[in-house]
Amino acid sequence: MKVVATTRSAQGSSASRRLRRSGKVPGIIYGSTGAQPTPVEIDHNPLYHSLRVEAFHSSILDMEIDGRSEKVLLRDVQWHAYKPQVMHIDFQRVAADQKIHVKVPLHYVNQENSPAVKLSAAIVSHVLTEIDVSCLPGNLPEFITVDLADLTPGKPLHLSDVTFPEGVSPVNVKENPVLVVATVKGGGGDAEEPAAAAPAPAPAAAKAPAKK
């Protein structure tokens, strides 16, 4: 995916406000050994639509800056408190021979065909929706696929049950965390309640004794 940026010389709060009023987003590119951070400005609307694409957050991006190209990774986005407006954005330069740490989304598949759902009508809960991985930029996946075809109630799916792509490994996670659990409502929780018994008829009123 591609991002077009222009270097900016004016910095500070006042300069950033002027940029935003003109439909631009102030940003910065940092990283890469020996390179100074580069302040940039980016057209707001194309950037806004790119940020709505999941892959934009976990892919190596082609950044065009003043006609030259660099490989970068999205690192941080600051949004307006209540408007759909990007206030500031950070990118990191990446080198082909240096590993990176990136949060990658987890895509769960075959949930509806699992024994937990088809046979037990279980409620499936995704405990984690993304995972921090380490890899070279060329091995970075857009997402990690997690197959739930064999998911059964009472047997949570752990990180160790997931196959990671070659050259990709999870980092900064506790020992073998749970990713998915399937829960079946216990006892008669799903059973229909028995119909309430019809009230007994009221006893007939006693007849008054006949007058003699």
Side-chain angles (χ1 to χ4, degrees):
M1 303 183 71
K2 186 177 181 179
V3 184
V4 178
T6 305
T7 55
R8 59 185 172 96
S9 55
Q11 299 184 50
S13 300
S14 297
S16 294
R17 284 195 295 268
R18 288 194 296 272
L19 274 178
R20 296 183 189 108
R21 285 196 295 267
S22 66
K24 306 281 187 178
V25 178
I28 193 165
I29 306 171
Y30 61 90
S32 185
T33 304
Q36 293 295 319
T38 305
V40 295
E41 58 185 67
I42 304 171
D43 285 336
H44 180 275
N45 287 347
L47 178 62
Y48 173 81
H49 291 294
S50 294
L51 286 167
R52 300 181 66 181
V53 178
E54 182 185 68
F56 191 82
H57 296 257
S58 58
S59 299
I60 302 301
L61 308 173
D62 293 314
M63 172 76 77
E64 182 182 312
I65 313 172
D66 301 334
R68 70 182 188 276
S69 182
E70 294 190 39
K71 299 293 185 183
V72 300
L73 190 65
L74 175 64
R75 278 308 188 191
D76 187 54
V77 184
Q78 296 175 24
W79 293 88
H80 191 279
Y82 56 87
K83 294 192 295 186
Q85 180 183 5
V86 185
M87 302 296 287
H88 194 276
I89 192 161
D90 293 357
F91 295 94
Q92 177 190 351
R93 294 183 177 92
V94 297
D97 59 348
Q98 295 179 4
K99 286 190 174 184
I100 53 176
H101 288 185
V102 189
K103 286 189 181 297
V104 175
L106 299 174
H107 282 193
Y108 295 102
V109 299
N110 294 324
Q111 175 175 306
E112 65 280 1
N113 296 322
S114 66
V117 174
K118 292 189 72 173
L119 303 181
S120 303
I123 298 173
V124 178
S125 301
H126 301 161
V127 180
L128 296 180
T129 58
E130 60 183 11
I131 196 78
D132 194 5
V133 302
S134 173
C135 63
L136 292 173
N139 294 332
L140 179 63
E142 290 184 9
F143 55 85
I144 302 293
T145 299
V146 181
D147 192 350
L148 302 183
D150 297 325
L151 184 66
T152 56
K155 187 180 179 183
L157 185 81
H158 291 80
L159 183 63
S160 60
D161 300 318
V162 177
T163 301
F164 282 78
E166 184 177 357
V168 180
S169 58
V171 294
N172 296 335
V173 293
K174 66 178 184 178
E175 185 177 351
N176 203 21
V178 172
L179 302 185
V180 181
V181 293
T183 308
V184 179
K185 290 184 180 179
D190 293 330
E192 295 183 3
E193 293 292 332
K207 292 183 179 180
K211 293 183 180 179
K212 293 184 179 179

